[in-house]
Structures are given as structure tokens and as C-alpha cells.
Amino acid sequence: MPTTLADEADAYRFLERLRWPGGVPADCPHCAARDGAWLLTPVDGVGRTTSTGARSARRIWRCRGCRRQFSVLNATFLQGTRTDLLTWLAVVTDRAAGTADAIIADRSGLTPATVRHLLARLAVAERAAGLAPPAARSVAGERCPGAVEAQPVAGRVSLTVADDVAERVRALLALPGGKARAVRHGTPARRRPLRQVGPSAEYGDGPD
Ligand SMILES: [Zn+2]
């Protein structure tokens, strides 16, 4: 059954189900404790406000052992990405359908440099996971069968992910996060530690 993702939070839940049994963190990516973690629920039930004031649908968990925060992206090949997950999944879907890089770049709504970076990161992860690189089946300007709808990814409201693509993503998520880091160019941008995402008073996240 293909999975239709309506929004970014849906995309997070989708990855959580692919990475963790039952969609619940099996162990903490920071301390490896298996004490469990709880989801930090924004009090408005919609999303957090990031440091830039934008609303974020990132789903953040807190470890019961070390109390540090993490998301499904921690210690995976997607760790530190600034690209939203719906866009990532659209790129993976397009690639699996054999869509030419130029077409992916065209409809991703991202800058060419960002698309090159995404595709390079994806290619490294695919090799590390032992996944065969998808065969290119389309040429520039041609609609490709099986690919997602030919609309810009940016601002998309939903994405349908086929089962075989989901299995690809599952294999990629199972990789230790360090394996894809070789693709980073120059000095990696310093990521803001997840524990600083916002004042904890904003969350109904239990005792602090
Ligand atoms: Zn922990």
C-alpha cells in the first residue's frame, strides 16, 4: 500500500515507522539507553516556533536516560539536513523512478547547488547501503513513468510514497549516520544542538 504523506509531520511519522519498530525510538542516538523516550508535544498541537520564527513540524523526542533531545534523523544519513523531509522523500522517489537529475533539480524548487548536494549525499548512502543506483529511464524534458506528479516539490501539499521506495528509505535509515558524511563539502555548518530548539516551557514535555 503506498503511503500518502499530507505534511511534514506525516513525513516524520513515516520515517519513525520505517526506522523504529512501532514508530517509537528503540534506543537513544546519544547514549544508546533503551529506557524509552517521550515525544515533545508543542502545547498548541501544531508545531514549534524555531529561532527564525517559522513554524516547524519536526518531531522531537527526549531520552528518559540522558534527557537529551533527538529526532528520527539523528545518527542517520539525514542528520543535520536543512531540507524538509517531504522534499527529501520526493527526491528519493524521483530517483527510484529513474528521473534524470536535471528534472529532479527542476521540480524540486531547490537551488541547483542544494540539489547536487542532496543527490550526492543520497548516492553515498545508497552505495553504503548496498542499494543499486536507480537506472535513469528518462531524458530531460520527458515525463517519466512512475515518478511523483510533475509539480514543483516546494510548497507541495502531499506526496505518495510507493512500497519499494519505502523499503529503500528503510535501508538508508538503517545506515550508521557517519557513513554519508564524507559527502560534506568543506567545513560542515555547525548545527544547533537539538536541546536548544526552544524554551522548554513551550512544550508539554513532562518534568524537566
Ligand atoms: Zn539518551
Side-chain angles (χ1 to χ4, degrees), residues 28 30-33 63 65-68:
C28 169
H30 301 299
C31 71
C63 171
C66 69
R67 319 283 288 187
R68 294 177 69 190

Side-chain angles (χ1 to χ4, degrees), residues 135-155:
R137 283 203 302 259
S138 59
V139 296
E142 188 181 294
R143 289 281 294 272
C144 37
V148 293
E149 66 276 24
Q151 69 177 36
V153 170

